[in-house]
Amino acid sequence: MRRVAFYTLGCKVNAYDTAYMQSLFEQNGYQTVDFEQHADIVVVNTCTVTAVADKKSRAAIRRAAKTGKVIAVGCLAQRAANELLSIEGVGAVIGTDQRGRIIEIAESLLNGESAVNLTHDLKGCGFEPMRLSGSGEKTRGVIKIQEGCDCFCSYCIIPYVRGRSRSRRFADIVEEARRMASEGVKEIVLTGIHIASFQDSGYDLGDLIKALDGCGARLRLGSIEPGVLGGDFIKKAASAKNLCPHFHLSLQSGSETVLKRMNRPYTPAAYMEFLCMLRDSFDNPAVTTDIIAGFPAETDFEHQETMAFVQKAAFSRIHVFPYSPRAGTRAYAMSPRVPKDLSRQRTMDLIRLGENLERRFIESLIGKQAVVIFEEPSKDFEGLMEGYSERYIRVASEAEKNEIKTVTLESIRGLTVYGQ
Ligand code: SF4
């Protein structure tokens, strides 16, 4: 039997794309083995969101080339196809479209045919139809509902490597969610590059959430973008009983002038207004976010504006990234660049603030009930299982793997809560 291995970098969208390619290989008689084990084909699904992601992707490709013939897929592959093809052991580059041809490509490589580059200009390309064959033993399933982005934030390379926004068919998503739930998946995460722009046959993201109410699993949204969604979305979302009260609402900066330079389509005031509407419509929702520290020309004053905004917004968790220049974006040419030390210091300021806010949010939940899907042994509470609650906090308790259970939150260790 032929063997295939996978290595995935980057976001949940990439994870879904890998799961799709893995199911194609398995349907065609390949056995999946661990990365590092010998395989006939090794698929590396790359990421290019930051310089660090580029470096990790190249390192993974070099490691993969020691164990089998490499097919490089994903965002860095789309952006630097010829460079990756020149690495010894790389037999094909697929990029961010035509992943459905991976078996044909693998077979031709194994038959000794020469290297292939399937990347192409993504202009006008549609949503690549993908369907996973089964959910296996998984408790949490991911469904990709959208691809690409039209926003062109000034620091972001994604629209250049993933193409314009396009959506998966509404009916396909509903069908896949029902099938996953019937196979035992207890939580479905809707993911995409810019899911707020989902549109199919006149249906938007709010309509999709409504249609998935009662699908048999609870529902969680991937990252949503402010400035696109409004009160109508919140009304539809709040009517769905199975939607987790957890929203990852991408902020990037709390300074109006920085947001302008970033070409983000909202002001801090508009963001706060949307946040308040969410809090009015859901019971104590968890609101998490992403922030970029040290964007070009960011002053101390602008950094303090972001710190003050984060404090006021009382996020339940923040992910902070130091700005990473990406050639080909508008921000790449912006000056002056914030010195690395200062950018690191601002990153640390925000991380510390985020940890305090996270602790405060968790403390506010003590004594309350949480519905948790237990997925793995706890690191903080020995002998217990751990998983995420509907508000995306880590909870440990006496439970079986893959069990869904309601617990009362009692005490905190690190950032994990013990639930009885
Ligand atoms: S919304 Fe902005 S940051 Fe997000 S993928 Fe699109 S261009 Fe990039």
Side-chain angles (χ1 to χ4, degrees):
M1 189 185 250
R2 280 182 166 164
R3 291 150 65 102
V4 60
F6 298 88
Y7 192 92
T8 306
L9 295 110
C11 59
K12 284 204 171 77
V13 182
N14 253 17
Y16 183 91
D17 294 340
T18 298
Y20 165 64
M21 292 182 282
Q22 183 175 345
S23 72
L24 289 180
F25 275 104
E26 289 172 359
Q27 281 161 28
N28 282 276
Y30 283 71
Q31 181 197 359
T32 302
V33 297
D34 289 342
F35 187 72
E36 309 288 2
Q37 277 188 284
H38 166 76
D40 299 286
I41 294 287
V42 190
V43 178
V44 180
N45 199 356
T46 61
C47 173
T48 188
V49 75
T50 60
V52 173
D54 283 354
K55 211 165 143 194
K56 286 186 182 167
S57 297
R58 288 189 188 99
I61 289 171
R62 289 200 183 90
R63 265 167 56 209
K66 292 184 186 145
T67 56
K69 268 255 172 262
V70 178
I71 303 182
V73 192
C75 295
L76 181 65
Q78 180 71 34
R79 186 164 180 232
N82 290 333
E83 182 214 315
L84 298 191
L85 268 179
S86 70
I87 298 175
E88 205 184 324
V90 175
V93 172
I94 294 189
T96 57
D97 190 37
Q98 303 195 65
R99 299 167 192 88
R101 290 181 59 193
I102 198 159
I103 302 300
E104 166 206 332
I105 301 299
E107 299 287 326
S108 74
L109 289 180
L110 294 174
N111 287 334
E113 283 170 37
S114 50
V116 202
N117 177 359
L118 277 197
T119 59
H120 62 97
D121 186 347
L122 298 170
K123 224 177 257 167
C125 105
F127 188 91
E128 186 183 4
M130 293 186 185
R131 190 178 294 264
L132 303 192
S133 56
S135 317
E137 295 287 284
K138 291 206 189 105
T139 346
R140 186 129 36 110
V142 175
I143 302 184
K144 178 171 161 181
I145 64 167
Q146 183 274 345
E147 174 67 277
C149 181
D150 295 342
C151 291
F152 291 91
C153 298
S154 66
Y155 53 83
C156 184
I157 196 71
I158 298 303
Y160 304 95
V161 294
R162 290 256 177 192
R164 293 310 182 91
S165 179
R166 51 223 189 256
S167 300
R168 186 173 177 182
R169 282 189 51 225
F170 184 88
D172 282 358
I173 301 168
V174 175
E175 193 266 322
E176 183 158 29
R178 289 197 184 131
R179 180 189 55 73
M180 278 183 166
S182 73
E183 287 171 358
V185 168
K186 296 185 173 71
E187 178 178 302
I188 292 169
V189 184
L190 298 185
T191 192
I193 300 297
H194 193 274
I195 63 170
S197 64
F198 172 85
Q199 280 288 345
D200 180 62
S201 318
Y203 297 117
D204 62 15
L205 183 61
D207 299 317
L208 182 61
I209 292 168
K210 275 177 78 172
L212 295 178
D213 192 14
C215 71
R218 78 180 183 189
L219 203 65
R220 193 184 295 278
L221 296 183
S223 179
I224 52 174
E225 297 287 328
V228 184
L229 302 171
D232 180 53
F233 162 76
I234 292 181
K235 219 160 123 195
K236 289 173 186 168
S239 74
K241 288 182 258 340
N242 65 341
L243 180 66
C244 290
H246 166 217
F247 300 93
H248 188 81
L249 190 59
S250 176
L251 173 66
Q252 307 306 356
S253 173
S255 159
E256 185 163 353
T257 40
V258 174
L259 286 175
K260 208 172 240 170
R261 294 203 294 283
M262 287 178 164
N263 196 34
R264 300 284 288 174
Y266 54 89
T267 60
Y271 184 103
M272 191 58 86
E273 195 184 326
F274 186 70
L275 183 58
C276 291
M277 288 199 298
L278 278 176
R279 290 201 166 126
D280 286 345
S281 307
F282 290 86
D283 172 25
N284 192 19
V287 182
T288 53
T289 200
D290 296 318
I291 297 180
I292 296 175
F295 188 73
E298 183 186 66
T299 61
D300 277 335
F301 178 75
E302 289 170 331
H303 170 60
Q304 289 309 326
E305 284 184 309
T306 297
M307 293 286 286
F309 188 92
V310 168
Q311 179 83 45
K312 189 171 161 206
F315 292 110
S316 58
R317 182 178 297 176
I318 61 176
H319 301 277
V320 190
F321 304 91
Y323 168 70
S324 176
R326 307 276 64 207
T329 62
R330 273 194 291 148
Y332 191 75
M334 288 182 190
S335 64
R337 292 250 176 99
V338 174
K340 273 204 174 120
D341 282 358
L342 186 56
S343 182
R344 218 170 288 136
Q345 189 191 313
R346 289 177 183 170
T347 304
M348 287 316 298
D349 288 351
L350 282 158
I351 288 175
R352 271 193 291 269
L353 175 58
E355 283 171 356
N356 289 338
L357 293 173
E358 183 169 353
R359 176 164 277 276
R360 207 203 286 168
F361 178 71
I362 294 173
E363 282 167 358
S364 77
L365 297 172
I366 296 297
K368 303 210 167 110
Q369 292 201 319
V371 183
V372 184
I373 298 174
F374 291 96
E375 290 172 286
E376 56 187 13
S378 174
K379 290 190 191 89
D380 290 306
F381 292 86
E382 222 187 306
L384 302 184
M385 291 299 290
E386 199 171 299
Y388 282 102
S389 77
E390 66 276 57
R391 290 184 176 77
Y392 211 59
I393 59 164
R394 302 282 303 168
V395 178
S397 187
E398 293 85 5
E400 299 296 319
K401 190 173 161 59
N402 292 348
E403 187 181 353
I404 184 161
K405 197 173 147 183
T406 303
V407 296
T408 302
L409 302 175
E410 290 197 342
S411 58
I412 307 173
R413 194 177 294 168
L415 290 170
T416 306
V417 188
Y418 172 68
Q420 176 72 54

